[in-house]
Amino acid sequence: MTLKTALRRARDTLAGSGIEDAPLEGELLLKYALNISRTRLYTELERELSPREEETLWRLVERRRNGEPTAYITTSREFYGLDFYVDPRVLIPRPESELLVEAALKLAQNRHLSAIADIGTGCVAIAVSLALELPEAKIYATDISAPALEVAGINCRKHGVADRVHLLQGDMLTPIPEPVELIVANLPYVEKSELTPLRFEPRLALDGGAEGTERIGQLCRQVGAGLKSGGCLLLEIGQGQENAVTSFLRRFFPEGEIEVAPDLSGIERVISLSLTSSQARVAR
Ligand code: GLN
């Protein structure tokens, strides 16, 4: 069988199992099975697969059909144009979370961000993306999960930012030694009742409690002490959570400026809170 036929069959098999992004995932699995780059795949389309390569490919396709995410099978996921190592110790970064990076970079155009915190960093995709775009910034990245931070360490070394991204284990802001100008957080926000045992990803990274907003609420309570005067908070939220989260923030920061922004599907996805200098002092 040629690579071309194998690619088509892998894609058809995945599509037949209801996998939405079958064209891309078929390609990723074939590349991984053959250990070749995308360019090589497309220049070698007429070459025959060896029996061993074929066996490897169909084994991977079978794993995918059983629900295992392609990112875990291939131990990699692209985020903000960068390749991150991932395994079941961390949540697989989602494209929506690139909005947090974009929102943070927009803020960086108008203010000096010398210290930034990424809370619930997981595989550290957000913090590394920011570190590469903002070479002057010192970034603290925290997670309650020690196994997740092992993966984060791999990615900081892979992208050469281990000296500027400080990985700290602990609850939300508590391990961070100084107030920062910006806090970004993609915390677990899935309602407990929606978590199925079939998920391959760590429960801890998804479980947002009964309403889905418990972790976000916890962070909101800590923010006053962790932000510098005039600081900013950027939160990723789940569908329909904008009112609940806005009211948490209003309660703690009655004068804060709050904005909500949608993702590409039109779902409200990012909430930002900006403090004025005097508010931050009161809050602390
Ligand atoms: N968007 C993710 C999902 O629906 C949830 C990520 C999170 O809880 N922060 O699977």
Side-chain angles (χ1 to χ4, degrees):
M1 184 185 302
T2 62
L3 265 66
K4 192 173 171 180
T5 310
L7 181 59
R8 200 190 58 235
R9 285 211 194 151
R11 286 170 161 169
D12 289 350
T13 311
L14 296 177
S17 303
I19 289 160
E20 228 174 90
D21 218 355
L24 173 66
E25 296 198 25
E27 182 186 297
L28 292 174
L29 291 178
L30 181 58
K31 264 174 52 189
Y32 183 71
L34 273 53
N35 191 20
I36 56 173
S37 68
R38 185 161 192 268
T39 315
R40 226 178 112 196
L41 194 163
Y42 284 97
T43 49
E44 293 184 10
L45 279 177
E46 300 307 328
R47 122 161 132 78
E48 294 283 323
L49 271 84
S50 72
R52 215 165 125 201
E53 286 174 332
E54 264 196 55
E55 196 196 307
T56 307
L57 173 64
W58 302 125
R59 215 174 334 110
L60 301 181
V61 168
E62 216 30 53
R63 279 169 65 185
R64 181 65 191 103
R65 270 162 43 89
N66 285 329
E68 192 173 345
T70 291
Y72 287 159
I73 300 174
T74 62
T75 64
S76 93
R77 175 70 169 209
E78 194 200 300
F79 179 87
Y80 209 72
L82 302 165
D83 185 57
F84 287 90
Y85 170 84
V86 291
D87 69 25
R89 288 175 286 184
V90 292
L91 187 81
I92 299 163
R94 309 284 200 265
E96 304 88 274
S97 304
E98 292 178 355
L99 291 173
L100 281 180
V101 177
E102 279 166 10
L105 294 177
K106 212 163 137 200
L107 284 173
Q109 289 172 356
N110 303 320
R111 58 178 87 196
H112 181 63
L113 300 176
S114 60
I116 300 175
D118 174 23
I119 309 302
T121 195
C123 79
V124 84
I126 293 170
V128 166
S129 305
L130 290 176
L132 291 174
E133 296 283 336
L134 305 171
E136 307 284 301
K138 180 203 287 180
I139 302 184
Y140 297 106
T142 78
D143 208 292
I144 192 109
S145 158
L149 287 177
E150 290 167 10
V151 174
I154 295 171
N155 283 316
C156 285
R157 291 190 289 277
K158 179 177 166 128
H159 292 287
V161 294
D163 55 333
R164 282 190 299 118
V165 177
H166 304 275
L167 300 175
L168 302 166
Q169 194 200 350
D171 181 36
M172 311 265 173
L173 290 172
T174 49
I176 298 178
E178 58 173 335
V180 297
E181 282 115 3
L182 171 67
I183 297 172
V184 293
N186 174 20
L187 294 171
Y189 57 64
V190 179
E191 282 177 35
K192 210 180 197 76
S193 58
E194 282 182 16
L195 288 170
T196 66
L198 268 180
R199 289 197 97 134
F200 282 76
E201 294 176 292
R203 256 187 115 78
L204 193 60
L206 291 160
D207 187 348
E211 312 281 330
T213 50
E214 245 165 58
R215 307 281 161 269
I216 293 176
Q218 278 166 7
L219 176 63
C220 293
R221 276 189 281 280
Q222 293 184 11
V223 160
L227 270 186
K228 268 190 195 162
S229 300
C232 233
L233 167 71
L234 291 170
L235 290 171
E236 180 173 324
I237 56 163
Q239 186 162 16
Q241 294 177 345
E242 60 274 17
N243 292 339
V245 176
T246 305
S247 28
F248 281 145
L249 292 172
R250 273 270 157 270
R251 205 158 70 222
F252 292 106
F253 306 99
E255 314 281 307
E257 193 183 308
I258 298 173
E259 277 176 49
V260 186
D263 65 18
L264 295 176
S265 330
I267 297 168
E268 300 297 2
R269 188 62 71 188
V270 174
I271 297 203
S272 67
L273 165 78
S274 308
L275 301 181
T276 66
S277 317
S278 56
Q279 283 156 5
R281 243 179 283 129
V282 172
R284 230 185 284 159

